[in-house]
Amino acid sequence: QVQLVESGGGLVQAGGSLRLSCAASGRTFSNYCMGWFRQAPGKEREYVASITWDTGVTAYADSVKGRFTISRDNAKNTGYLQINSLKPEDTAVYYCATGRKWLGHCTTLYDYWGQGTQVTVSS
C-alpha cells in the first residue's frame, strides 16, 4: 500500500524559510513522479511543483518559480520542497502526491496523496 507522509510545516514569519518533507513507501517510485500541491483557506487546491523520481526533471508553477525548490533523495524515498522568502499568501496546507510520468516528464495524473502539512506565514 502506497503511503505518503508530509512533515516540516509550521508557523514562520514572512521572509523566512521552510523545508517540507514527504516520506514515501509502498511502491517502486523510479517509474513515477512526486508532486507538491497546496490549498489555501477558501481556495481550490493548486499545483506547486513536481519532479521525476529517477531523473530529477523538475517543473514549477509560475507563481513559485525562484522561491521554491523541489528535490528528492532516492535512497530515502523522500521528497522535499524548500520554500524561501515566504509570503503570507503562501499560507496553506501543503500536500505531496505520487503520479504518472510520460516521456520523461510528470503528467497531471496523481493517484496517491499524503495527509498534508500546514504552513502558516505571519506578516
Side-chain angles (χ1 to χ4, degrees):
Q1 181 177 355
V2 176
Q3 287 191 319
L4 302 171
V5 180
E6 302 97 334
S7 60
L11 172 64
V12 295
Q13 288 189 334
S17 298
L18 279 176
R19 189 177 79 156
L20 308 183
S21 299
C22 175
S25 62
R27 166 181 273 177
T28 302
F29 290 97
S30 58
N31 295 325
Y32 293 87
C33 290
M34 183 191 68
W36 285 94
F37 297 77
R38 66 184 180 183
Q39 187 166 18
K43 295 187 177 181
E44 293 187 353
R45 184 171 60 196
E46 65 171 347
Y47 165 83
V48 173
S50 57
I51 187 168
T52 58
W53 277 102
D54 54 354
T55 57
V57 173
T58 60
Y60 296 90
D62 288 342
S63 59
V64 305
K65 283 181 181 177
R67 294 192 301 120
F68 287 30
T69 303
I70 189 171
S71 62
R72 87 280 186 242
D73 184 330
N74 288 347
K76 296 181 179 179
N77 266 2
T78 300
Y80 305 97
L81 186 69
Q82 177 70 38
I83 311 174
N84 297 327
S85 302
L86 277 156
K87 305 175 181 180
E89 51 264 42
D90 293 322
T91 295
V93 178
Y94 284 72
Y95 300 89
C96 67
T98 182
R100 301 288 179 172
K101 187 178 66 172
W102 180 251
L103 297 179
H105 294 273
C106 294
T107 70
T108 58
L109 301 174
Y110 290 86
D111 50 1
Y112 291 96
W113 296 79
Q115 82 290 349
T117 186
Q118 176 71 48
V119 172
T120 303
V121 184
S122 62
S123 56

